[in-house]
């Protein structure tokens, strides 16, 4: 039974390998990949950032509005919890995209040769302003959270501000955090090999992506080491 | 496999308590009460006892175990 399972998994691995090989061969034949247009990526990131600016601005305005007196106590608590969650989450996503856009644009700007005018300079300035706005919005989001959840405050002045917050959560809230972290871990565990395969394919048909492949591999390795070490703790206790 | 049933919603309605109020009385969060009420989370013995104390009932009148059929 075990032998059959093993031979099945070997066949499956070969099948996946053959499928990837076939697809890449097909891609090479019918659609050779051109080098990615970096300028296009930077402007796409800027558009995404502008759309996200609208979203966090709406949440910012909502956080300043007085409480709706028509709501009962549970509806009001739920509304505040949801708003704080969406506001902190949206500003965090905004800053992730913002830094991605900022770093890409700085590289693009440096290579453009035209350091004081030109579209990339204006785009870079706008992105820097938006990232600053994102920071301010996140500060506001955290203040909103701390105002309505004083028992579980987030302290960004400390390096372990979120660790303190996590320690103070009660059992149900901790359960939710663990569940979210579990889902995030397993999604990333599937996405890392997919990203590596994609970078490998791009490296074959376009410019080699040595640094990106190394970075993805290291991140995947670190993520798994953290998981592995935490899991091993259960065997150390007698 | 056994599942844990609870009468939180019914007892809250009886005593006119909101989830937020019950959470305050048990020293937990509204999210935790909501998770327990929906059956998404199995509470610790401590929180189950605190909830039962609020309703002035024994724990097994608030929570009960049910064996799933076909197990």
């Amino acid at each position: 039974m075990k032998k059959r399972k093993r031979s099945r998994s070997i066949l499956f691995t070969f099948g996946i390998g053959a499928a990837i090989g076939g697809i890449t061969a097909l891609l090479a034949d019918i659609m050779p990949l051109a080098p990615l247009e970096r300028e296009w990526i930077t402007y796409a990131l800027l558009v995404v950032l502008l759309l996200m600016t609208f979203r966090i601005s709406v949440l910012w305005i909502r956080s300043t509005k007085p409480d709706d007196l028509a709501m009962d106590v549970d509806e009001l608590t739920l509304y505040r919890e949801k708003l704080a969650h969406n506001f902190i989450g949206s500003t965090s996503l905004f800053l992730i995209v913002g830094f991605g856009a900022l770093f890409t644009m700085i590289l693009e700007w440096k290579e453009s040769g035209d350091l004081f005018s030109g579209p990339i300079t204006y785009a870079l300035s706008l992105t820097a302003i938006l990232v600053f706005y994102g920071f301010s919005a996140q500060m506001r989001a955290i203040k909103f959270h701390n105002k309505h959840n004083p028992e579980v405050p987030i302290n960004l002045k400390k390096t372990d501000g979120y660790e303190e917050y996590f320690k103070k959560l009660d059992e149900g809230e901790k359960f939710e955090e663990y569940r979210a972290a579990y889902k995030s871990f397993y999604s990333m565990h599937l996405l890392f090999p997919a990203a590596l395969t994609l970078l490998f394919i791009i490296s074959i048909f376009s410019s080699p992506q040595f640094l990106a492949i190394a970075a993805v591999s290291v991140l995947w390795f670190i993520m798994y080491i953290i998981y592995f070490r935490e899991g091993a703790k259960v065997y150390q206790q007698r | 496999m056994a599942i844990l049933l609870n009468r939180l919603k019914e007892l809250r309605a009886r005593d006119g308590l909101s989830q937020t109020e019950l959470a305050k009385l048990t020293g937990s969060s509204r999210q935790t009460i909501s998770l327990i009420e929906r059956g998404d989370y199995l509470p610790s013995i401590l929180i189950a006892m605190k909830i039962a104390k609020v309703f002035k009932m024994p724990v097994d009148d608030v929570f009960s175990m049910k064996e799933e059929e076909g197990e």
Side-chain angles (χ1 to χ4, degrees), chain A residues 73-74 77-78 81 149 151 170-173 175-176 179, chain B residues 18-20 28-32 35 40-41 43-44 47:
Chain A
V73 65
D74 276 346
T77 315
L78 184 64
E81 284 167 0
N149 302 280
E151 65 288 352
D170 78 341
E171 56 180 73
E173 291 169 317
F175 167 77
E176 279 291 298
R179 191 157 64 173
Chain B
S18 66
Q19 286 183 340
T20 312
S28 55
S29 65
R30 193 208 58 81
Q31 290 101 311
T32 301
L35 283 168
D40 283 349
Y41 173 66
S44 66
I47 203 158

Side-chain angles (χ1 to χ4, degrees), chain A residues 55-67:
Chain A
R55 160 95 176 142
I56 61 171
S57 301
V58 169
L59 293 170
W60 192 328
I61 292 165
R62 273 191 206 160
S63 74
T64 57
K65 279 187 176 172
D67 293 337

Side-chain angles (χ1 to χ4, degrees), chain B:
Chain B
M1 205 177 111
I3 55 166
L4 191 72
L5 303 173
N6 71 77
R7 296 170 55 208
L8 252 65
K9 200 170 183 178
E10 174 200 332
L11 295 170
R12 275 197 310 105
R14 185 196 71 184
D15 292 2
L17 287 174
S18 66
Q19 286 183 340
T20 312
E21 285 161 344
L22 180 59
K24 271 185 191 163
L25 292 170
T26 53
S28 55
S29 65
R30 193 208 58 81
Q31 290 101 311
T32 301
I33 299 296
S34 170
L35 283 168
I36 297 169
E37 202 170 288
R38 295 200 309 259
D40 283 349
Y41 173 66
L42 298 180
S44 66
I45 295 172
L46 186 69
I47 203 158
M49 289 173 81
K50 281 180 180 176
I51 290 170
K53 198 176 169 187
V54 169
F55 294 123
K56 298 183 182 72
M57 291 169 93
V59 175
D60 52 4
D61 275 359
V62 182
F63 298 96
S64 57
M65 199 175 74
K66 188 190 169 193
E67 292 288 337
E68 272 191 341
E69 284 171 28
E71 293 291 322

Side-chain angles (χ1 to χ4, degrees), chain A residues 183-202:
Chain A
K183 279 190 182 171
S184 165
F185 172 83
Y186 274 99
S187 306
M188 292 314 292
H189 201 48
L190 292 175
L191 282 173
F192 274 127
L196 277 178
T197 310
L198 186 70
L199 287 169
F200 173 69
I201 293 170
I202 291 172

Side-chain angles (χ1 to χ4, degrees), chain A residues 92-148:
Chain A
S92 297
L93 287 173
F94 181 92
L95 289 173
I96 293 167
V97 178
F99 276 111
L102 201 61
F103 291 151
T104 318
M105 280 183 199
I106 290 171
L107 291 176
E108 193 63 34
W109 176 65
K110 192 174 157 259
E111 282 190 9
S112 71
D114 186 6
L115 299 185
F116 300 105
S117 60
I120 194 71
T121 308
Y122 300 126
L124 178 60
S125 312
L126 180 61
T127 307
I129 293 166
L130 289 178
V131 168
F132 180 75
Y133 176 73
F135 262 120
S136 314
Q138 184 149 75
M139 290 299 141
R140 167 67 206 166
I142 289 168
K143 269 187 188 170
F144 181 80
H145 165 88
N146 290 350
K147 184 184 168 191
H148 296 293

